[in-house]
Amino acid sequence: MCPAYDCSAAAALSCFHVFALQSRGAFDVRWCNGSISEQIFGPWQDQLEGRGVNVRGGSRVLSINHYDNDGDTVEADVEADVDVD
């Protein structure tokens, strides 16, 4: 194993696969019926947009700003038209 700051997402998922998913009796794992996009991210996006949030898919977030004056304003600076494969 390695320190957390040296562990890539791929390595972390690989460890999760070995330790959690292959130890069937040790963990209660549920799988989505359908794609994660349609079951989780689609409804979440719909809920956010219903609250007035502008969701900009395909944009890389450069920074997130939280303004303390009203407690509710959060703004993200994005780099538009970026392919984030």
Side-chain angles (χ1 to χ4, degrees):
M1 296 303 284
C2 64
Y5 56 83
D6 277 345
C7 190
S8 70
L13 287 173
S14 177
C15 290
F16 174 72
H17 179 263
V18 170
F19 294 118
L21 299 181
Q22 291 186 357
S23 303
R24 295 171 196 239
F27 295 91
D28 183 16
V29 177
R30 292 186 177 237
W31 301 104
C32 284
N33 292 326
S35 73
I36 292 173
S37 179
E38 69 185 25
Q39 295 294 321
I40 296 174
F41 293 113
W44 186 27
Q45 180 176 347
D46 293 342
Q47 183 184 40
L48 290 171
E49 289 174 341
R51 295 179 177 197
V53 175
N54 181 15
V55 177
R56 295 178 57 183
S59 298
R60 179 172 286 137
V61 175
L62 301 173
S63 65
I64 297 175
N65 307 307
H66 181 257
Y67 300 103
D68 289 327
N69 55 350
D70 64 3
D72 291 332
T73 304
V74 176
E75 178 182 85
D77 296 323
V78 296
E79 185 177 341
D81 301 324
V82 174
D83 188 14
V84 288
D85 290 332

